[in-house]
Amino acid sequence: MRINPNNFFKRELDILPPHFVNTVVKAHEADVEKMRRWIYEHCSGRYSSTKDVVYDGENSSTVTVLGFEEPGDLTLFALSGIAQEHQK
C-alpha cells in the first residue's frame, strides 16, 4: 500500500474553487461514491465533488461536478475510464 502524505490533510473540498479544472458526471450516488474513493486512492492533489443542476429547455437534471486542483489528476481520472463505466 502506498501512503500519500497529502491524506493527512483534508483533500476533499465541499466547494468548487474557481481555479480547479472540472468535469461533469451523470451517475447515481453509489457510483459517485466509487469515483470519489478511486480519486482518493489514486490521485495526489485536492479535489471536490459538488452537485449542480443542468437545464435543457424545460427539463432539468442533477449532475455531479468533480473538480481537481492538479490538471494531471483530471487526466488520470479521464484515462482510467471509471467515469465512463458509471454514466447513466
Side-chain angles (χ1 to χ4, degrees):
M1 173 186 235
R2 186 183 77 190
I3 296 175
N4 184 348
N6 293 329
N7 289 343
F8 291 102
F9 305 103
K10 187 173 184 321
R11 289 181 45 217
E12 184 174 6
L13 304 178
D14 298 330
I15 61 168
L16 179 65
H19 67 281
F20 275 30
V21 292
N22 61 61
T23 186
V24 175
V25 177
K26 293 182 183 178
H28 297 287
E29 191 61 36
D31 296 330
V32 171
E33 185 60 35
K34 290 177 187 176
M35 291 180 211
R36 289 173 57 213
R37 190 173 1 175
W38 188 93
I39 293 167
Y40 183 82
E41 291 173 359
H42 294 90
C43 296
S44 59
R46 295 189 305 167
Y47 62 96
S48 70
S49 174
T50 57
K51 296 286 185 191
D52 197 9
V53 178
V54 174
Y55 295 100
D56 182 26
E58 296 179 10
N59 301 323
S60 64
S61 62
T62 304
V63 296
T64 301
V65 180
L66 298 173
F68 299 88
E69 186 170 33
E70 300 293 329
D73 286 343
L74 176 58
T75 303
L76 182 64
F77 178 74
L79 291 174
S80 73
I82 193 166
Q84 290 79 10
E85 291 175 8
H86 301 293
Q87 289 287 329
K88 289 187 206 179

